[in-house]
Amino acid sequence: MQAFLHSTTATPTAVVVPPSLALPVIESAFPRQLHPYWPQLQETTRLWVLEKQLMPEGKVQEYADGLCYTDLMAGFYVNAPDEVLQAIADYSAWFFIWDDRHDRDIVHGRAGDWRRLRNRLHAALDAPRHHLRHPDPLVAGFADSVLRLYGFLPRTWNQRFARHFHAVIEAYDREFRNRTQGYIPGVEEYLALRRHTFAHWIWTDLLEPSAGCELPDAVRENPAYRRAALLTQEFAAWYNDLCSLPKEIAGDEVHNLGISLITHEGLTLEEAVDEVRRRVETCIQDFLEAEREALRFADAIADGSTRGKKLSTALRANVSNMRNWFSSVYWFHHESGRYMVDSWDDRSTPPYVTNETAGEK
């Protein structure tokens, strides 16, 4: 169903997009969609975060809905069965909370805590059932969400998902070292790392349980499909960098495309913003071409066989959801309290995070 062009939170208000961040082509050519299960999704994910003790109760009550994590997922995996979308939304909420823990570990110099968490997440990814009662809620919550995701498709999909997320964990470790050492990666190095810290291939993998079909390698690796998927995620990552730049400069960050451009290409702040925006806009235009190629590929694999029809239908559903990611990401960045840095008491410390030492000691 098409969503209203205003906030999906419980108290809808008109969304005002700053001119510097406005993308008229998204607002006109990418109609916003929202899964009809969204209201229940928001409630159930909030309860899951509380049950798993991933955020203090007071912060959940005050901030969870306004962070709009479920809105983002409900606007992307629009055709997913309700139980699949619920598992994805819970996993996504966990991912944002993990990202916050990673940030606080860096800010407070908790190298030992981060190293232990990194190792435990690797272990939980390979054997989630054995980590459901782990004393660190972040490990136990991860195990719960991963175990549920592993229940939708065959073992081969689970193994691929695990392989991709092991790479994400290692990329977060690389970012930890970069930030604690004050190392700003060059532009190409940053872009390669960003594909993992943004979990490009995780969100693409999750298209398949949403469509109820694991795609064979020959389909997933087809250049038309892979290019459309990559452009979807590049747009999301770079638009995130564009919107996050004020927050990350305030927090003395080193991981942002704009910061790499300023440091290594000699751009001014204004020029860097213009360059990131140019890349974002190019992603949109390139996706429109890639989308057509991917849909032609979907037509080509509908060869009259039952399997061909199933794969073609799943591929079309996945490409449709790739398109949804553009509008979902765009509006998320203007509705979520995660990016409303001007309203924070301390621009370097998000009010929704737990700023004390977290996890098992």
Side-chain angles (χ1 to χ4, degrees):
M1 74 186 211
Q2 184 168 339
F4 296 108
L5 293 180
H6 56 54
S7 173
T8 51
T9 57
T11 54
T13 56
V15 176
V16 178
V17 180
S20 62
L21 301 175
L23 297 172
V25 65
I26 295 294
E27 298 180 24
S28 62
F30 290 79
R32 192 178 190 186
Q33 307 293 320
L34 189 68
H35 197 291
Y37 178 65
W38 171 75
Q40 183 61 45
L41 182 74
Q42 184 184 54
E43 174 67 18
T44 304
T45 294
R46 188 192 318 119
L47 293 174
W48 182 79
V49 168
L50 279 170
E51 176 194 344
K52 299 302 176 183
Q53 300 180 333
L54 293 170
M55 292 174 67
E57 183 176 356
K59 289 190 181 291
V60 172
Q61 297 302 330
E62 186 171 359
Y63 296 110
D65 289 354
L67 290 170
C68 301
Y69 297 157
T70 55
D71 305 41
L72 180 63
M73 294 298 111
F76 185 18
Y77 302 99
V78 171
N79 302 319
D82 291 355
E83 65 173 344
V84 173
L85 183 61
Q86 186 66 66
I88 291 173
D90 292 351
Y91 166 77
S92 171
W94 173 87
F95 197 112
F96 279 110
I97 294 165
W98 173 53
D99 184 75
D100 292 334
R101 169 87 74 84
H102 176 257
D103 177 72
R104 293 298 95 186
D105 281 349
I106 292 169
V107 168
H108 295 292
R110 300 193 293 246
D113 288 356
W114 164 250
R115 184 174 60 253
R116 284 187 289 273
L117 177 59
R118 167 197 171 203
N119 292 337
R120 289 162 179 168
L121 292 179
H122 278 306
L125 186 58
D126 290 331
R129 197 176 301 277
H130 297 157
H131 291 77
L132 292 174
R133 298 187 182 278
H134 195 281
D136 184 341
L138 204 65
V139 177
F142 177 62
D144 179 82
S145 63
V146 166
L147 188 62
R148 288 156 61 201
L149 291 173
Y150 282 177
F152 298 120
L153 290 178
R155 182 176 177 80
T156 46
W157 183 91
N158 298 347
Q159 292 170 332
R160 172 167 31 106
F161 180 93
R163 185 170 65 252
H164 287 163
F165 202 78
H166 280 305
V168 171
I169 296 169
E170 287 305 294
Y172 264 69
D173 185 58
R174 176 73 259 181
E175 180 177 336
F176 186 98
R177 285 178 282 143
N178 285 350
R179 288 180 59 189
T180 54
Q181 295 167 9
Y183 173 74
I184 300 174
V187 173
E188 293 306 315
E189 180 186 357
Y190 172 77
L191 294 177
L193 184 61
R194 184 67 161 139
R195 289 181 183 130
H196 291 299
T197 58
F198 199 80
H200 279 29
W201 302 118
I202 291 294
W203 308 118
T204 302
D205 288 338
L206 290 169
L207 291 166
E208 294 170 64
S210 299
C213 179
E214 181 185 19
L215 297 178
D217 290 348
V219 173
R220 287 189 304 102
E221 299 298 330
N222 178 275
Y225 181 81
R226 192 170 177 85
R227 181 168 180 255
L230 181 60
L231 286 165
T232 296
Q233 297 303 316
E234 299 279 55
F235 163 82
W238 298 346
Y239 192 68
N240 176 267
D241 279 5
L242 189 64
C243 294
S244 297
L245 191 54
K247 178 183 76 162
E248 293 179 350
I249 288 176
D252 199 25
E253 286 255 19
V254 299
H255 267 238
N256 185 292
L257 178 54
I259 293 171
S260 289
L261 288 165
I262 291 167
T263 303
H264 296 284
E265 304 294 331
L267 274 60
T268 65
L269 175 60
E270 293 76 13
E271 290 169 341
V273 168
D274 288 344
E275 173 60 16
V276 177
R277 184 184 174 94
R278 184 193 67 77
R279 290 176 183 241
V280 165
E281 291 173 339
T282 299
C283 269
I284 300 169
Q285 296 306 318
D286 288 350
F287 174 79
L288 293 173
E289 177 186 338
E291 179 185 41
R292 290 191 291 270
E293 294 174 358
L295 291 175
R296 283 195 291 268
F297 176 52
D299 289 340
I301 61 176
D303 57 5
S305 67
T306 300
R307 177 161 174 76
K309 181 179 180 181
K310 180 180 180 180
L311 289 176
S312 178
T313 299
L315 186 56
R316 284 187 165 276
N318 291 357
V319 174
S320 175
N321 282 336
M322 289 178 195
R323 163 175 273 271
N324 291 335
W325 197 231
F326 286 86
S327 58
S328 191
V329 163
Y330 180 73
W331 292 111
F332 170 70
H333 280 86
H334 303 296
E335 294 173 355
S336 173
R338 194 172 181 87
Y339 304 101
M340 295 181 182
V341 64
D342 289 337
S343 68
W344 301 353
D345 292 336
D346 177 353
R347 290 170 62 88
S348 66
T349 305
Y352 49 83
V353 302
T354 300
N355 204 35
E356 303 80 27
T357 298
E360 181 189 358
K361 298 304 294 177

